[in-house]
Amino acid sequence: MREGGRDDAPALEVDGLSFSYSGKPVLEEVGFRLEAGQFTVLLGPNGAGKTTLFSLITRLYDRRVGTIRVDGFELRRHAVAAHARMGVVFQQPTLDLDLSVRQNLTYHAALHGMGPREARRRAEEQVARVGLGDALKTRVRQLSGGQRRRVEIARGLLHRPRLLLLDEPTVGLDIAARRDLVERVHRLCVEEGVAVLWATHLIDEVYPEDRVVVLDGGKVRASGSVSEILAASGGTSIGEAFDTLTTGPVEVVS
Ligand code: ADP
């Protein structure tokens, strides 16, 4: 057994998580878990608390009640180990527009302690994975919005995390780029065996085989497979379930 972790630990385990902004509660007793290779959609309307939850998992905010474990490592006690196991794509793009794709990635790899040769190899590998192998020398400024997002995903996977967090990654993309990104990340999730937490308010980004955590008003209204969510809501589609779960009283699946 590893120090601080557990061999059979989920990629992400959130338990009894509560958070307030200046006394105003925005997350209340939030709990769910993600296993390796699972694509989980954090589905909630605007203001549900998705970005706040991401800020707590990435430790931008730290005042909170409850526990967060990444690959078994409790975030406060084993911050370095927990961070080394997560990759993040924030809602606001964070690439340097004046650097090339390769420079953006190798700089980030160096922050994770990789030597220049490994950084270069991983950058090339991951950029090819997201279909941008020809764009390594291109300045990010010259890329489309969808391509930039793909670079951020490649960057998030450079250090082989167990958990990839994406906060509303399709905001601002046109329909074709959005569909392409959703499809690519679903494939990466299986191919890399990484656990993905994908925050969105867009129901059509949910695939039938996904797991879903429905968040509304800072509370988990239901979580589980798509069929469990449908059973909890009595709806016949995720859209109907979402309408029911985010407006009326609901049953929590797990
Ligand atoms: P989502 O990402 O689901 O849209 P957020 O986490 O951004 O939700 O917001 C959850 C709630 O917290 C909303 O009511 C929002 O107005 C409030 N909120 C978000 N950020 C702050 C902040 N910095 N200060 C005070 N309230 C905030």
Side-chain angles (χ1 to χ4, degrees), residues 21 24 26 44-53 61 91 167-168 215:
Y21 286 112
K24 175 188 156 200
V26 286
N46 287 330
K50 303 183 296 298
T51 297
T52 304
L53 176 61
Y61 302 151
Q91 198 173 115
D167 189 5
E168 308 233 19
L215 189 72

Side-chain angles (χ1 to χ4, degrees), residues 132-147:
L132 289 172
D134 295 340
L136 272 164
K137 293 183 187 159
T138 307
R139 272 185 200 215
V140 169
R141 193 178 291 286
Q142 292 168 257
L143 300 179
S144 69
Q147 289 171 325

Side-chain angles (χ1 to χ4, degrees), residues 12 28 40 87 102 132 140 145 161 165 174 177 197-198 206 212:
L12 175 67
E28 293 180 56
T40 301
R102 177 184 287 155
L132 289 172
V140 169
L165 305 166
D174 63 31
L197 185 62
W198 175 285
V206 180
V212 183

Side-chain angles (χ1 to χ4, degrees), residues 1 10 18 62 85 95 104 131-132 134 174 185 207 227 240:
M1 169 147 157
S18 299
D62 203 28
R85 286 162 172 79
L95 295 169
N104 267 280
L132 289 172
D134 295 340
D174 63 31
V185 179
Y207 278 23
S227 55
E240 249 181 68

Side-chain angles (χ1 to χ4, degrees), residues 47 79 112 145 158 180 183 221 237:
H112 278 283
L158 271 181
D180 174 75
E183 176 63 28
R221 304 294 174 171
S237 68

Side-chain angles (χ1 to χ4, degrees), residues 157-206:
L157 291 170
L158 271 181
H159 57 296
R160 297 194 175 85
R162 284 209 68 206
L163 170 69
L164 181 65
L165 305 166
L166 303 106
D167 189 5
E168 308 233 19
T170 59
V171 164
L173 301 185
D174 63 31
I175 292 176
R178 185 154 78 82
R179 286 208 184 116
D180 174 75
L181 200 72
V182 176
E183 176 63 28
R184 276 177 195 280
V185 179
H186 273 89
R187 257 186 288 142
L188 279 173
C189 175
V190 176
E191 287 168 10
E192 299 268 322
V194 68
V196 170
L197 185 62
W198 175 285
T200 188
H201 60 278
L202 300 167
I203 288 139
D204 61 340
E205 293 182 359
V206 180

